[in-house]
Amino acid sequence: SQQGEEDPQALSIQEGENATMNCSYKTSINNLQWYRQNSGRGLVHLILIRSNEREKHSGRLRVTLDTSKKSSSLLITASRAADTASYFCATDFNKFYFGSGTKLNVKP
Amino acid sequence: DGGITQSPKYLFRKEGQNVTLSCEQNLNHDAMYWYRQDPGQGLRLIYYSQIVNDFQKGDIAEGYSVSREKKESFPLTVTSAQKNPTAFYLCATSGQGGHFSNQPQHFGDGTRLSIL
């Protein structure tokens, strides 16, 4: 399977702390995307990083990509209770493949 | 407002019944997708369409059918052949370049299907 796999499956932190989620995949990719899903809702696109990029920032989000290790990480700095959601990475190789997600709980 | 509208939000299917999930978009996007999400799982691709009157099977198309008669609409029918239809169904679109290009996907808020 070329599916991205997130790690950890669940993460619980206090408000204000940083949250780091990892994604590993198996084959070459054109780009990797991160999405957020609030409970019972659709996914919301957060950030796209191309295979020739190593790091990308968007507000409190920082994404890194290591194509040699076939892995990516999503860092959320100064987390807020509103960041509580599931986070998915999606890789593309002919088709889009979503991992099973990291469930983040930010306690106020 | 621009966006993707999925209806209904909740749907119940009786044994042997076909049901149709609606997905409408006003984003003027070429590509549309249907995904299935089971509890605690990622998304699995059912069908996708890059252009009107054309669609392709995804990874789990058996027991499902779609049509793409208009750019704005991509309805999904869950047939009686789908023996385990209980899941959360998500419709998505992507813009110019479509089909798994380097464009983000935009999602509706899903339809939750259950068996009676």
Side-chain angles (χ1 to χ4, degrees):
Chain A
S1 167
Q2 299 164 32
Q3 195 171 28
E5 291 296 334
E6 292 88 348
D7 170 61
Q9 289 187 324
L11 182 60
S12 186
I13 59 174
Q14 292 292 139
E15 209 166 25
E17 294 180 340
N18 294 344
T20 300
M21 288 158 268
N22 303 296
C23 171
S24 60
Y25 57 92
K26 295 184 179 178
T27 66
S28 299
I29 59 172
N30 295 319
N31 65 71
L32 185 144
Q33 303 188 24
W34 284 92
Y35 290 80
R36 183 188 76 231
Q37 183 181 33
N38 289 88
S39 182
R41 304 294 298 273
L43 278 68
V44 174
H45 180 259
L46 296 175
I47 200 163
L48 180 154
I49 186 165
R50 302 189 198 290
S51 59
N52 61 354
E53 297 176 312
R54 291 297 166 257
E55 189 170 309
K56 204 158 182 181
H57 296 253
S58 176
R60 293 183 297 111
L61 306 180
R62 185 181 81 134
V63 168
T64 60
L65 179 65
D66 187 335
T67 53
S68 66
K69 294 181 179 177
K70 292 186 171 58
S71 67
S72 173
S73 67
L74 170 66
L75 168 68
I76 304 174
T77 60
S79 63
R80 305 167 182 167
D83 294 328
T84 294
S86 291
Y87 292 82
F88 295 88
C89 68
T91 57
D92 74 321
F93 184 76
N94 298 324
K95 288 188 277 188
F96 246 32
Y97 291 91
F98 287 86
S100 52
T102 291
K103 198 165 187 176
L104 174 65
N105 179 33
V106 182
K107 293 177 282 188
Chain B
D1 280 353
I4 301 163
T5 301
Q6 288 189 242
S7 62
K9 192 168 178 64
Y10 299 96
L11 187 58
F12 297 91
R13 195 191 88 171
K14 294 179 183 177
E15 204 70 41
Q17 186 182 40
N18 292 353
V19 292
T20 297
L21 286 60
S22 170
C23 178
E24 301 281 330
Q25 57 112 348
N26 62 4
L27 299 170
N28 200 33
H29 284 171
D30 290 315
M32 297 187 74
Y33 314 84
W34 274 105
Y35 291 94
R36 169 179 171 141
Q37 185 177 32
D38 292 282
Q41 302 294 313
L43 279 63
R44 292 185 289 168
L45 183 65
I46 305 172
Y47 267 99
Y48 63 96
S49 168
Q50 295 174 257
I51 198 167
V52 174
N53 293 323
D54 184 62
F55 48 82
Q56 306 294 330
K57 291 182 179 180
D59 297 317
I60 55 165
E62 187 174 347
Y64 300 96
S65 65
V66 293
S67 62
R68 186 88 186 274
E69 297 176 2
K70 298 186 299 181
K71 187 175 185 177
E72 302 79 21
S73 179
F74 191 41
L76 173 74
T77 296
V78 184
T79 74
S80 57
Q82 174 49 248
K83 297 305 177 191
N84 183 24
T86 298
F88 189 49
Y89 291 86
L90 287 161
C91 176
T93 71
S94 62
Q96 192 173 22
H99 181 39
F100 313 117
S101 71
N102 55 356
Q103 296 290 328
Q105 294 198 358
H106 302 257
F107 285 81
D109 271 341
T111 292
R112 193 166 297 280
L113 176 62
S114 303
I115 293 186
L116 278 177

